[in-house]
Amino acid sequence: MSPTMKRRAPTLRHSPAPSSPRVPASPRFRVSASGPAEVVRELVDAGAESSAVAHALYMEARRRLSEATGELLYTPREDAPDDLALLATNALALLPVSLDEGESGALTPGWLEELHRLTRPDADHRRHGRWYTSRPIARYMARRAIDAITGRGMPERIVALDPACGCGALAVPLLEELVAFESRLHPKRHRWDVVERCLADLTIADIDGEALDTAAFRLRIAAGRLAGRPVNTSPRLFHGDILTAP
């Protein structure tokens, strides 16, 4: 169950690109890779600086996903330099966009998590204790969490909290499992009503404002996909260390 807490608006701080980033000789560079890490690696091999190009690719991926979903709530504080922005646009131009997190060979919401990770140095991850959960493990954990609750009886409602959500690796499959449970419990209720209720009952928290915003964005995309239409609800957000919050 989610404890009572004071919600704070997330502070979005995208990793700023270096003042003089290195870029490949041609901004029309195309990549042949199919995953975020491979795209960054190809661009780095061609002369780009890794964290700067990951930042630019994150911005472009977020822009294209926002267009695909009609998401108008995103205003980045740190824009990528024009040459890197053009490079990212061209690098991802041939990739189709899919809102299905598990689809391969397409630009999906899951790209945002890996690109966010690549904008940060390894030492930063170790210092803050960041660990990134793979999709199969996250789905297993989400299913086990729901089974653990329903195994003790059939609740009328489940309110969930992800206290260190990162970019939403666990929160997205948790929402999917919550919707599946509520749909079985209330088969006559409209699907979109079930999805919006489950999304509103989900609280996500993290000390990283950019990661928290990414998780909320991925959840809204997942909710729209599950509902079959855009949703007007968002998860509850808590920006900070929930373990030390009053």
Side-chain angles (χ1 to χ4, degrees):
M1 298 292 288
S2 172
T4 302
M5 62 185 69
K6 181 180 179 181
R7 284 183 283 167
R8 307 172 189 170
T11 302
L12 309 183
R13 293 180 179 175
H14 291 276
S15 305
S19 56
S20 299
R22 292 179 287 113
V23 297
S26 172
R28 299 187 181 280
F29 186 85
R30 292 289 198 277
V31 297
S32 58
S34 59
E38 290 79 12
V39 172
V40 172
R41 189 176 302 116
E42 285 198 18
L43 292 173
V44 169
D45 290 344
E49 196 276 325
S50 59
S51 62
V53 77
H55 171 79
L57 288 167
Y58 177 98
M59 294 299 187
E60 175 62 15
R62 183 73 181 254
R63 183 190 67 78
R64 291 190 63 192
L65 288 165
S66 295
E67 287 183 349
T69 59
E71 176 76 44
L72 302 176
L73 302 178
Y74 179 62
T75 304
R77 289 192 174 186
E78 298 284 351
D79 289 321
D82 290 343
D83 48 1
L84 275 177
L86 179 59
L87 177 67
T89 298
N90 285 309
L92 301 182
L94 300 182
L95 278 175
V97 173
S98 173
L99 304 184
D100 183 353
E101 294 261 354
E103 184 168 338
S104 60
L107 175 60
T108 71
W111 275 57
L112 299 176
E113 179 176 10
E114 190 161 355
L115 289 172
H116 173 267
R117 178 177 63 82
L118 293 169
T119 64
R120 311 296 175 88
D122 290 339
D124 188 53
H125 296 303
R126 289 192 295 269
R127 182 170 63 253
H128 293 287
R130 294 192 184 102
W131 299 94
Y132 291 83
T133 309
S134 67
R135 181 170 173 79
I137 293 177
R139 291 187 63 85
Y140 172 78
M141 292 172 62
R143 190 172 297 115
R144 285 297 301 269
I146 300 301
D147 289 345
I149 295 173
T150 57
R152 298 193 298 267
M154 191 59 66
E156 294 185 3
R157 189 173 187 177
I158 297 178
V159 180
L161 165 68
D162 187 346
C165 67
C167 290
L170 177 58
V172 170
L174 182 57
L175 175 65
E176 294 170 347
E177 292 296 327
L178 286 170
V179 169
F181 166 75
E182 288 278 353
S183 296
R184 292 192 300 269
L185 194 62
H186 305 287
K188 295 183 179 181
R189 183 172 293 170
H190 290 296
R191 177 75 167 184
W192 57 265
D193 184 44
V194 170
V195 173
E196 290 199 342
R197 171 171 167 165
C198 290
L199 186 62
D201 283 344
L202 180 57
T203 299
I204 55 176
D206 205 274
I207 61 174
D208 185 332
E210 180 183 349
L212 182 62
D213 176 70
T214 300
F217 177 64
R218 289 175 70 184
L219 283 168
R220 288 193 298 270
I221 290 178
R225 174 171 51 81
L226 292 167
R229 72 177 202 183
V231 296
N232 298 317
T233 309
S234 291
R236 289 173 288 179
L237 309 181
F238 180 87
H239 180 212
D241 186 350
I242 202 167
L243 299 179
T244 60

